């Protein structure tokens, strides 16, 4: 656990030891939650009004940062990732046009509603059950402002559960998920934590929020990961067979008969030669162009997505991995916006 996280929990314990009533604590916690949601709500309203006033957008990607790292089983640096990704998105070393020709400076293509204040919420002693609900509600607030669609900046991969839950609930049914990762993240409760970043897709599947889950880039998987995959009917594509699977994966057609497609990209799906600034370095991964080929050729209505597991504390080569994350965000933006 990070020093900041421990400080917040210790403060909460001091309040308990000072005989502060549970009702008083809960009242204060609720005020913090309400303030957090108000911030997202008003920002989303402002950006939604702008996009609607400009006209012509059927769908528009809107960035939402979720700086959460405490559910990581190894390093917690992903909590610091959202501002690094934003900085890289707008870095003057490149232009603001995606490979498919979308202009990011156009608010009808991309807006930003800021971050869920995760640490401030946790400092009040709010547990993960309620925190996950705050994240879900924040995503729904973005989606209420049509035509905004959530593009979430992690954070560790535990955030995908509340985000996908919100997308599914808001749209009124399951989605198809394209999940790029070195790991299946489908343990029932890794190290006893059901909200672990290694358990997020177990929560998603047991909740019925996905019809199909395709996991691509897998190369670190245990017996439990395979058993859980079979239990939930997951389509797992391991790197050891990628050359055989490439044609299928580069011609995916998803989302028909459900509410659309959600794309979740863990940066460790990439070989560390392309993305060294991650917590879990797993050699033998996808190339950057492999991912773009899969993404660019994907047929389906992309209703949301996330890019997770950048660890700025390991991104020591001139922010290279942040630039990789930013490029993926840019290309996901182009896929969502229309």
């Amino acid at each position: 656990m990070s020093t900041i996280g421990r400080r917040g929990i210790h403060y909460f314990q001091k309040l308990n030891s000072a005989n502060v009533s549970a009702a008083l604590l809960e009242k204060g916690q609720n005020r913090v939650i309400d303030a957090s949601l108000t911030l997202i709500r008003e920002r989303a309203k402002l950006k939604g009004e702008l996009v609607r006033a400009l006209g012509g957008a059927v769908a528009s990607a809107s960035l939402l940062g979720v700086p959460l790292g405490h559910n990581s089983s190894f390093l917690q640096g992903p909590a610091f990732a959202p501002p690094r990704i934003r900085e890289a998105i707008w870095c003057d070393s490149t232009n603001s046009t995606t490979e498919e020709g979308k202009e990011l400076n156009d608010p009808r293509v991309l807006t930003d509603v800021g971050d869920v204040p995760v640490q401030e919420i946790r400092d009040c002693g709010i547990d993960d059950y309620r925190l996950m609900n705050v994240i879900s509600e924040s995503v729904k607030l973005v989606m209420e402002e049509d035509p905004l669609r959530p593009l979430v900046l992690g954070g560790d991969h535990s955030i995908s559960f509340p985000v996908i839950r919100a997308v599914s609930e808001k749209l009124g049914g399951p989605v198809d998920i394209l999940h790029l990762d070195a790991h299946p993240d489908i343990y029932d409760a890794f190290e006893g934590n059901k909200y672990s970043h290694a358990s997020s897709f177990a929560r998603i599947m047991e909740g019925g929020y996905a019809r199909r889950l395709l996991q691509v880039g897998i190369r670190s998987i245990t017996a439990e990961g395979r058993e859980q995959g079979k239990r939930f009917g997951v389509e797992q594509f391991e790197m050891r067979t990628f050359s055989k699977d490439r044609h299928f994966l580069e011609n995916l057609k998803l989302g028909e008969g459900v509410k659309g497609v959600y794309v979740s990209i863990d940066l460790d799906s990439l070989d560390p030669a392309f993305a060294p600034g991650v917590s879990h370095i797993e050699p033998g991964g996808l190339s950057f162009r492999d991912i773009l080929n899969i993404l660019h050729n994907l047929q389906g209505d992309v209703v949301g997505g996330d890019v997770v597991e950048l660890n700025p504390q390991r991104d020591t080569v001139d922010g290279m991995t942040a630039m990789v994350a930013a490029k993926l965000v840019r290309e996901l933006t182009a896929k969502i916006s229309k």
Side-chain angles (χ1 to χ4, degrees), residues 14 23 25 50 61 63 73 81 115 117 128 143 145 164 174 187 202 219 241 260 309-310 314 334:
K14 286 180 181 178
L25 286 174
L50 172 62
L63 299 181
S73 58
D115 290 352
D128 268 1
M143 296 178 70
E145 295 299 323
I164 292 172
Y187 286 97
R219 57 195 185 276
T241 61
E309 296 287 356
L310 168 66
R314 281 194 154 186

Side-chain angles (χ1 to χ4, degrees), residues 239-258:
M239 283 307 299
R240 60 193 177 91
T241 61
F242 181 71
S243 59
K244 175 173 67 70
D245 299 328
R246 180 190 293 273
H247 178 75
F248 173 76
L249 295 172
E250 290 183 351
N251 294 276
L252 291 173
K253 189 172 185 179
L254 300 173
E256 289 187 344
V258 289

Side-chain angles (χ1 to χ4, degrees), residues 56-267:
V58 176
S60 174
S62 190
L63 299 181
L64 173 67
V66 184
L68 185 156
H70 66 273
N71 282 321
S72 176
S73 58
F74 182 43
L75 301 174
Q76 299 185 0
F80 305 104
R84 300 286 77 78
I85 298 174
R86 286 189 178 93
E87 181 181 15
I89 289 171
W90 303 111
C91 179
D92 288 339
S93 71
T94 185
N95 59 53
S96 59
T97 306
T98 72
E99 289 195 5
E100 295 185 335
K102 298 285 181 70
E103 177 52 62
L104 298 182
N105 281 322
D106 185 343
R108 293 169 294 185
V109 174
L110 180 66
T111 56
D112 191 338
V113 300
D115 290 352
V116 177
V118 171
Q119 192 58 55
E120 290 82 354
I121 292 170
R122 294 191 73 230
D123 281 348
C124 298
I126 293 168
D127 62 16
D128 268 1
Y129 174 80
R130 296 175 72 193
L131 175 59
M132 295 298 167
N133 288 341
V134 172
I135 295 168
S136 290
E137 288 305 311
S138 298
V139 172
K140 290 178 181 179
L141 289 171
V142 173
M143 296 178 70
E144 283 178 6
E145 295 299 323
D146 188 65
L148 302 187
R149 294 184 174 183
L151 179 46
V152 179
L153 309 178
D156 68 43
H157 221 153
S158 68
I159 71 166
S160 292
F161 160 56
V163 173
I164 292 172
R165 176 177 64 182
V167 170
S168 174
E169 289 179 348
K170 192 67 178 173
L171 294 177
V175 294
D176 286 343
I177 301 174
L178 174 59
H179 169 205
L180 297 122
D181 203 322
H183 318 87
D185 291 350
I186 204 164
Y187 286 97
D188 181 59
F190 189 71
E191 296 180 339
N193 179 10
K194 69 178 183 178
Y195 296 117
S196 169
H197 70 159
S199 299
S200 50
F201 286 89
R203 302 290 80 77
I204 290 163
M205 297 308 289
E206 69 187 14
Y209 304 121
R211 177 187 64 176
R212 293 178 68 186
L213 171 57
L214 287 75
Q215 298 185 318
V216 181
I218 304 297
R219 57 195 185 276
S220 178
I221 182 170
T222 63
E224 182 180 351
R226 290 193 172 91
E227 289 165 4
Q228 286 279 89
K230 290 177 182 176
R231 172 190 172 196
F232 292 119
V234 179
E235 300 165 63
Q236 294 176 332
F237 298 90
E238 298 186 38
M239 283 307 299
R240 60 193 177 91
T241 61
F242 181 71
S243 59
K244 175 173 67 70
D245 299 328
R246 180 190 293 273
H247 178 75
F248 173 76
L249 295 172
E250 290 183 351
N251 294 276
L252 291 173
K253 189 172 185 179
L254 300 173
E256 289 187 344
V258 289
K259 297 300 181 178
V261 184
Y262 186 94
V263 180
S264 180
I265 303 178
D266 186 321
L267 290 173

Side-chain angles (χ1 to χ4, degrees), residues 1-58:
M1 182 179 294
S2 69
T3 301
I4 295 173
R6 283 195 298 268
R7 188 181 304 138
I9 291 170
H10 289 166
Y11 175 70
F12 180 62
Q13 290 170 341
K14 286 180 181 178
L15 290 179
N16 279 336
S17 64
N19 296 319
V20 176
S21 72
L24 184 61
L25 286 174
E26 185 175 2
K27 185 177 180 180
Q29 291 169 346
N30 289 338
R31 286 201 304 270
V32 171
I33 289 172
D34 289 345
S36 301
L37 292 175
T38 297
L39 185 63
I40 299 298
R41 179 185 297 109
E42 295 306 317
R43 284 174 168 169
K45 279 185 178 179
L46 176 63
K47 301 306 172 68
E49 288 169 355
L50 172 62
V51 173
R52 290 190 294 271
L54 290 170
V58 176

